[in-house]
């Protein structure tokens, strides 16, 4: 769906399509434990978040050089452009690479190479959000933040992702305070598999400005009231919720109820190579499964630009918003 939109919840490592994984494996001499792309695609039927993460980290072994990261980002941006994305705030997981010997500079400069030419090549403005893996220690997150200092001009915010349950936001209090001191903005995954309390903690202890997922806020009416009154954006990923079994079928997704409750919802693709669709596909899927009409979809697109970190460039935000209003559905 070509409706102009921003994508605010997208892990660049989760855009690694089987074809590119095999091409990079061949180029870098990495053995993948799958015969071909078809066999690999069959491994994409996940039980839960953990079974997805196991495959996700295994496949990252093919990403080694700046050129690999540049190609990965460029392939995503090309797909996103074809689905109406005008602005993308892209997550990356430095620890998933530094832990296997790839320097953080290789990751950031490689991604940066693709992002630098994105506006010209794909018509998409971009930002980078550096995520900490929450199943690792806070000390490791602090080391990562320290190592990122030569590249801070490329990073606009920090985030928190990976296995949620048992790793509450408060575990990362110190590193978020340090990120704030460096002038970085803050988001965190919360309330995907974890309880509503994790959403409160992300807001109160970490001071995040957006909640990634936030699905389980719906179990807590008081929290919903707060998210509505404070206009805290939620970056929802409906196809991911179904693939990772947070929701049985898309028809049961609470997106519509969340919009009706007045929450500032956005719709995103999370890890599109693994979850069956990019963000335009996701808009199309929720339109079909939840009966969202054109005005709902326009609201979701409008919300995505309102929630974007474009405060330094309000003219751009206004231009994108006017593109949403002017869009004619066919
Ligand atoms: Zn995510």
């Amino acid at each position: 769906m070509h409706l102009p939109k921003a994508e605010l919840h997208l892990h660049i490592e989760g855009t690694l399509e089987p074809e590119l994984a095999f091409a990079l494996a061949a180029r870098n001499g990495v053995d993948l434990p799958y015969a071909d792309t078809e066999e690999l695609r069959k491994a994409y039927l996940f039980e839960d978040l953990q079974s997805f993460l196991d495959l996700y980290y295994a496949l990252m072994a093919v990403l080694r050089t700046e050129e690999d990261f540049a190609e990965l980002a460029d392939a995503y941006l090309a797909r996103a452009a074809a689905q109406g994305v005008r602005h993308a705030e892209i997550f990356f997981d430095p620890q998933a690479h530094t832990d296997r010997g790839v320097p953080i500079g290789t990751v950031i400069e490689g991604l940066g190479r693709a992002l630098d030419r994105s506006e010209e090549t794909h018509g998409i403005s971009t930002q980078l959000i550096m995520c900490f893996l929450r199943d690792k220690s806070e000390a490791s997150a602090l080391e990562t933040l320290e190592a990122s200092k030569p590249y801070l001009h490329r990073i606009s915010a920090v985030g928190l992702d990976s296995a949620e349950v048992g790793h509450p936001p408060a575990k990362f209090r110190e590193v978020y305070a340090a990120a704030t001191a460096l002038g970085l903005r803050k988001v965190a995954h919360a309330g995907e598999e974890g309880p509503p309390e994790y959403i409160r903690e992300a807001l109160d202890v970490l001071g995040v400005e957006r909640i990634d997922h936030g699905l389980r806020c719906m179990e807590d009416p008081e929290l919903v009231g707060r998210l509505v009154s404070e206009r805290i954006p939620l970056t929802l990923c409906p196809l991911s919720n179904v693939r990772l079994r947070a929701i049985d079928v898309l028809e049961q997704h609470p997106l519509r109820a969340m919009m009706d409750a007045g929450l500032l919802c956005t719709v995103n693709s999370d890890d599109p190579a693994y979850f069956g669709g990019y963000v335009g596909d996701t808009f199309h899927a929720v339109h079909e499964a939840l009966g969202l009409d054109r005005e709902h979809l326009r609201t979701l697109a409008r919300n995505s630009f309102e929630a974007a970190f474009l405060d330094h460039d309000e003219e751009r935000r206004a231009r994108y918003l006017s593109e949403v209003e002017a869009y004619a559905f066919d």
Side-chain angles (χ1 to χ4, degrees), residues 4-8 84-88 266-268 279 283 301 304-305 308:
K5 57 184 86 65
E7 176 139 70
L8 307 176
V85 173
R86 301 286 284 113
H87 177 76
T266 68
V267 158
N268 307 270
V279 67
F283 268 69
S304 72
F305 291 117

Side-chain angles (χ1 to χ4, degrees), residues 9-11 52 91 160-162 189 192 212-213 235 237 240 269-271 275:
H9 187 152
L10 180 280
H11 303 270
F52 155 66
F91 297 141
L160 190 60
D161 62 8
S162 196
H189 285 49
E192 178 188 15
D212 296 315
H213 290 296
T235 64
C237 306
S240 162
S269 68
D270 207 2
D271 298 285
F275 299 153

